[in-house]
Amino acid sequence: MHSVASAIARIQAALSLPQVVATVRAATNGKLFSGGTRVFSPDLADAALDRITRLSRETKLVAAATATATATATATATATATATATATPTTPELATADTIGLETETTTALAAVLACAYPTGPVTPGAERAHLVASPAAWRARVRVLRAKTLSEDESASSPERILAHHRDYTAHPDLVPHQHLATVHIAAIHAAAAAQRPLSTIADLLRAATREPPAVSTAYLSAVHSAALQARIKLKDVDGAYAMYLLATGATASTLLDRRAIPLHPGAVSALVQAVVQRHQMARFAKVRADVEQYSLSSSSTSDTSGDPASDATANGTRTTRVLSQAPDIHLANTIVRGILRFTPSADAAEPPVDTAQAWIGQYFSAWGLVPDPITYALLVQAAIDAGAPVRARTILESVHDRGDRVGWQAYRPLLAAAARAGDLAAVHRQLTQLRGLADRGLVADLDHDAPRVADVVVGALVAGGHVDAAARYVAELPTGLRSAGTFNVFLRHLVAPLAPPSRGDGGDGRTPTERAVAMRERMDRALAVAQIEMPACGIAPDAVTIGTLVTALAARRDYTRAMSVLDASAAPLTPASFNPLLLAAARDRDPSVARAVLTAMAARHLELDAVGRDAHLECLARAGDLAGALQALEAMGAANVPPTIKTHVVVLEALVAHPQARSKDLAPVVHALVDRVTVRSAAHSKTSLAAVLRVVHTLSGGGSGGGDTSLPRVVSVYLAHADRVPVTTDIARTVLQATRGSPATARTLVTRWAETERFQLPPPLQTTYLEMLSRAGWIDDAVAALAAWAAGSGHRPSFEHVRAITGPLWRAGQHDAANRLARHLHAQHPGSSVDRRQ
């Protein structure tokens, strides 16, 4: 029977992921049935995606159930043999299996089905629903593949650009897409925009489009799309914007966009925000989000009185709370909060205060949310105790778990293993592993056999990171054959070729001079090459792409281009354009076009073309080497190939153009100004460094770099203000802006006040001197004196003679010596103990 139903039946009967993919391919290629009949439809795609997901889930459950049954049997046997055991042992928690390999296989299978399912062109105005894979299953699969970064045959179907293109097709034909599917479509587009590093305005536009759809009346719909947008902002490193969006969504600030409705967010989005603010040490923001999350236990147990607002709850005493979560916190969110508590809790002389605080929080809220601490929870507590110099406390934490008869993954012991290995104590490492083996045999430690290669990676990496290369080599040599894999050797190599950390100031370091350290690094590089070229083949292990990439990157960083090319030439692993990128990046760093030419020749011999990173590095190399014609030609080629250069490369080209003697000539000036316009409009792409460089370029082009007047004022200030809401001010940015506003002290005063009030940025002493002189030259002596006092109070710096001279200098130059002396005495009285009393 040549029907879709028959093909779906075959898919549902498949027992492995490759069988599902093979069936889909055969159906679409006309090879499934005799006669070459092509059978395909969105229903068949959904069936294939569903079967892949089910097979993946079943594989995980079988592995977990097997581990659980083994552990239960072991515990039961132990209890039977022990006279004191009178009760049946508690069933251990399901094992947390390592699903990295399974997840890769799953996403690859999903990608293959999607590649068959999606059309290669846009949807035509006369399209019918049958020509679209409009189901949520297909869109969720695309997001899963996108997050896994599986880039192979799926690239045409699951690349960010294709997802965004299909999103435009779907939203242009709303009659073809059921309303209940639109949330998934919009979420996929938002994630794709973040993966493609699109401007923040794209995320805002997608969110506005999503909230205009008819399903926007649903709180669940709004929760889904706003959670995706918040995560996208964090991925684009716009933590400030993500936090502002969190405040808007949760009703902490008014929002006309949301019609003042509080929108609960998904735990995953809030977890990403907590992780971002903890990494940036933003204590106040962490405290705010933590307090909001803790309200979930209060609101969920309260008497509901929402008065039509599903995102708020009323407690028994009438106090209304805003529910910031759409569902109970998950273990990932809880663990990120634990991490923040350990980071921000003031530590005393011992580890007790932060660890005790975290444990008390776990005891209070985990049970309220129905959570059980996982290995990551315990690993965080153990690491905190080790960092505080309390290893006994770290062991006590884990012993208390086993005393309760609870089961925990080996990852909880990872900090102890890493600490022993980093100290070079192999005996302690073996003792710890023996203890883990005994606990695993009793059913108290999970995943030890399954994750044995990862355990070995942890030990090897910590040994090499601690400088114990020989000990790491002995440990690898002693590993059983099944554990000596390319992955283990790659961990060894990665740490072996990592730069040696310079000695900390004042601690004497390891006693080696810079020359001795350079010799040591050369010896380690030679050792790494010997491992890859001799030791790995002797063990029957072929170096893989990761091995080659590690060696080439390390050699390129050391400017050893000859040996790097030799490694690539001798590689049996397949090479890709990314294999050559470390050399191109090093060539850009060294301004050496000859290296870039050699790389391009080697790639051409292998029929390889530059990828986006390689094109960017090649262009940067040409610009830094002064080959402006070649750089501009490469820039145009990137545009023609639809590979946009990064903001960094744009800035590099700009700086090279501006430094050219004929930058203002009739031939180059239009090119320079067009490039400036192109760069300045890329608001979301700018970093602090790139914006500072662009402002310097604009200032130089306007005459400021050569002693020009205030002609650069409108351009520099307007460019800065266009990006000020997204890029925080830095010393370099402030310096250029102040230089550009020398002729407009009012503008300078407005900007300096804005920096102090909204960004808590205080000018460093040299820039404060420049600013005071600007105010004094304008005759605003009182403003200059007040600015000095505010600066001294806010920055903690003590005024110096240079600051006083900046204020009194115009009076001296005007011949008003008595007034200048009286002002100097006044400043000395106002700032006693400072150096303002030096002779004028």
Side-chain angles (χ1 to χ4, degrees), residues 29 94 163 285 303 320-321 323 430 436 498 525 544 671 702 725 731 831:
N29 295 333
L94 287 180
I163 289 178
R285 289 180 174 179
T303 303
R320 182 170 298 281
T321 61
R323 182 156 52 89
H430 288 303
L436 278 174
M525 191 70 244
D544 59 12
V671 177
S702 303
D725 291 336
T731 298
H831 304 281

Side-chain angles (χ1 to χ4, degrees), residues 281-349:
H281 209 81
Q282 297 173 347
M283 189 183 306
R285 289 180 174 179
F286 169 75
K288 163 65 177 169
V289 181
R290 171 189 168 184
D292 289 345
V293 172
E294 289 171 351
Q295 288 293 328
Y296 186 89
S297 59
L298 172 64
S299 62
S300 61
S301 61
S302 63
T303 303
S304 179
D305 181 21
T306 59
S307 302
D309 184 0
S312 66
D313 295 284
T315 62
N317 62 6
T319 303
R320 182 170 298 281
T321 61
T322 297
R323 182 156 52 89
V324 301
L325 294 175
S326 59
Q327 60 196 59
D330 57 19
I331 190 64
H332 301 292
L333 174 55
N335 281 338
T336 56
I337 294 179
V338 171
R339 190 188 303 273
I341 291 172
L342 293 170
R343 169 75 66 87
F344 296 130
T345 299
S347 179
D349 295 335

Side-chain angles (χ1 to χ4, degrees), residues 157-438:
S158 294
S159 67
E161 297 303 327
R162 290 299 299 163
I163 289 178
L164 290 170
H166 277 88
H167 172 263
R168 289 192 294 270
D169 292 337
Y170 276 56
T171 52
H173 300 79
D175 56 311
L176 301 181
V177 186
H179 288 324
Q180 63 267 29
H181 296 177
L182 282 175
T184 309
V185 174
H186 288 305
I187 288 170
I190 289 171
H191 284 300
Q197 295 291 304
R198 290 293 186 89
L200 290 170
S201 57
T202 302
I203 306 297
D205 291 342
L206 289 171
L207 181 59
R208 277 193 293 269
T211 53
R212 284 198 300 264
E213 301 294 343
V217 298
S218 164
T219 299
Y221 176 95
L222 290 173
S223 174
V225 294
H226 279 84
S227 296
L230 190 147
Q231 290 175 295
R233 284 187 175 275
I234 293 174
K235 184 177 180 65
L236 293 173
K237 303 188 185 307
D238 180 28
V239 179
D240 293 340
Y243 183 70
M245 184 177 177
Y246 167 83
L247 295 179
L248 288 172
T250 57
T253 55
S255 169
T256 55
L257 175 63
L258 306 179
D259 297 326
R260 301 183 183 273
R261 294 173 59 187
I263 299 175
L265 299 171
H266 289 182
V270 179
S271 177
L273 179 61
V274 172
Q275 183 176 355
V277 299
V278 170
Q279 288 176 345
R280 289 158 178 79
H281 209 81
Q282 297 173 347
M283 189 183 306
R285 289 180 174 179
F286 169 75
K288 163 65 177 169
V289 181
R290 171 189 168 184
D292 289 345
V293 172
E294 289 171 351
Q295 288 293 328
Y296 186 89
S297 59
L298 172 64
S299 62
S300 61
S301 61
S302 63
T303 303
S304 179
D305 181 21
T306 59
S307 302
D309 184 0
S312 66
D313 295 284
T315 62
N317 62 6
T319 303
R320 182 170 298 281
T321 61
T322 297
R323 182 156 52 89
V324 301
L325 294 175
S326 59
Q327 60 196 59
D330 57 19
I331 190 64
H332 301 292
L333 174 55
N335 281 338
T336 56
I337 294 179
V338 171
R339 190 188 303 273
I341 291 172
L342 293 170
R343 169 75 66 87
F344 296 130
T345 299
S347 179
D349 295 335
E352 282 75 11
V355 174
D356 280 351
T357 302
Q359 285 187 303
W361 190 88
I362 291 170
Q364 178 180 357
Y365 289 100
F366 272 52
S367 58
W369 297 334
L371 300 176
V372 177
D374 69 353
I376 304 303
T377 312
Y378 292 116
L380 291 171
L381 297 173
V382 171
Q383 187 65 62
I386 292 174
D387 292 343
V392 175
R393 177 66 188 279
R395 294 187 183 92
T396 302
I397 292 171
L398 295 174
E399 289 171 359
S400 65
V401 178
H402 301 314
D403 290 343
R404 296 193 301 269
D406 292 339
R407 206 160 165 255
V408 69
W410 73 270
Q411 297 90 342
Y413 285 84
R414 179 172 182 157
L416 288 172
L417 277 172
R422 198 172 290 111
D425 191 348
L426 276 180
V429 170
H430 288 303
R431 284 197 303 271
Q432 189 69 63
L433 290 174
T434 301
Q435 180 189 3
L436 278 174
R437 171 55 54 200

